Every structure is written in C-alpha cells, then in structure tokens.
Amino acid sequence: VNEAIEWMKQLTDFKLLWIEEPTHPHDALGHATISKALAPYGIGVATGEQCPNRIIFKQLLQSKGFQFCQIDSCRVGGVNENLATILMAHKFGIPVCPHAGGVGLCEYVQHLSMWDFVAVSGSMENRMTEYVHHLNEHFENAASAKAGRYLAPKQPGYCCHLKEESRKVYEFPNGTYWSQKQ
C-alpha cells in the first residue's frame, strides 16, 4: 500500500486519471488508504477486474476504496452479480468502467455498459469500456466500435459464440493448431 502511494506521488506531473489495482484486489482497506492518499493529487483508484463477487465490491464502495468500478463479466458469478455491482456503484456515485480486452471480454461487457447507460446511470461521463479488436475474426458476432463507442450488437445474448472453424483449430489438445506443435 505504502509503495503504491509513494510511486504514484512520483508520477503526479503526468496528471493520471487513475491507478489500476494498486494492491491486492480483495484488500478494501488498502485500496481506501491509497484512495485517500492520492485524492489531493487528483489521481483516482480503479479496481474490480479481479474482484470475485458483489460482497467485495460492496466493501470497496463502503470504504471509498475506488473512484472507478471495473467489473469483469467473467470474474463474478454471472449477469446478476454484475447487475448488482452496477446498481451498488450507482448508489455510491461511482462510474462503471468495465474491464475488457481479452478473448471475448469485449463481447461480454458491451451489454453491461449499455445497460448501465440506458437503465441505470443515463450518463457516459467518466465511463469508459476497454475495446480491443484483436481476435474478433474468431467470433460469430464480434463486438464493434465506431467513433470511440461500442455499437449495439445485432444479435441477442452475449454474442461471444466462437466460430466452428476457430474451435476446430484451437481446441486443446485436439485442435489442428496443437497437433502441428507435436
């Protein structure tokens, strides 16, 4: 905790928006200590991509452990757990900035970001969702963005269904990718 604070103080000239996951993801009080120490420098704390459930999120919110909530659609126990976290973050006035960028994570979080905007917050202020278009060619309905915003998917559901040909190539250990390695 102290190391994160000291290191960030050395970076204040860069006017960083946040430090991400500066200590153990379940250490709500450690995050709160870092948050309080960095507030005078205008540096927020973002965390949540390693958070396993709404209970830890609740503790982080109650302790003022972060200024940006980074839900991870695959880390917690499903859609309902993410919706509960988004609602709690709204109650505490904390913007939700979902973690994405890994294989399929953009597909998983695009709906949650849109739901936050349409049904909960009604705001895009201080809200960002990571977007990486690598590996999109492997998804039947890959997430897409235009002018810095996700486009609404055209299919229902999470839209993270892998193409059959990609599964045949990369399924471990029998996919052709792996059999060529031997």
Side-chain angles (χ1 to χ4, degrees):
V1 169
N2 292 332
E3 194 173 79
I5 294 167
E6 291 309 311
W7 287 4
M8 289 309 296
K9 284 181 181 179
Q10 295 175 37
L11 298 173
T12 56
D13 290 346
F14 295 100
K15 309 234 183 285
L16 302 173
L17 181 60
W18 71 47
I19 178 176
E20 186 171 321
E21 302 221 332
T23 190
H24 191 282
H26 303 164
D27 185 1
L29 297 179
H31 277 85
T33 300
I34 294 167
S35 246
K36 185 177 179 181
L38 296 181
Y41 304 99
I43 301 172
V45 172
T47 195
E49 71 180 76
Q50 298 293 323
C51 194
N53 57 55
R54 68 187 184 279
I55 304 304
I56 302 292
F57 274 113
K58 181 183 83 165
Q59 292 170 356
L60 286 161
L61 288 160
Q62 288 175 325
S63 67
K64 298 184 171 121
F66 60 70
Q67 289 71 48
F68 299 92
C69 179
Q70 291 184 300
I71 59 171
D72 183 303
S73 188
C74 296
R75 184 71 58 183
V76 300
V79 175
N80 289 341
E81 197 88 356
N82 276 300
L83 298 182
T85 301
I86 291 169
L87 290 168
M88 284 189 295
H90 180 69
K91 178 182 178 184
F92 283 87
I94 301 295
V96 176
C97 303
H99 168 249
V103 179
L105 283 178
C106 294
E107 286 71 26
Y108 275 112
V109 299
Q110 64 183 337
H111 303 80
L112 297 169
S113 290
M114 290 177 196
W115 184 79
D116 175 39
F117 173 67
V118 171
V120 181
S121 69
S123 174
M124 287 191 256
E125 185 178 345
N126 276 332
R127 284 169 169 75
M128 295 146 258
T129 303
E130 294 174 304
Y131 175 74
V132 179
H133 61 84
H134 76 295
L135 304 173
N136 275 8
E137 68 273 12
H138 298 290
F139 293 94
E140 288 184 6
N141 300 294
S144 59
K146 183 176 182 180
R149 303 273 187 228
Y150 274 88
L151 299 175
K154 295 179 179 160
Q155 300 296 322
Y158 262 138
C159 298
C160 61
H161 192 74
L162 289 169
K163 292 180 178 177
E164 181 65 30
E165 53 271 24
S166 294
R167 286 193 304 251
K168 286 179 182 177
V169 172
Y170 295 105
E171 181 184 43
F172 185 80
N174 300 319
T176 56
Y177 176 83
W178 303 105
S179 61
Q180 293 170 3
K181 296 277 185 195
Q182 296 174 0

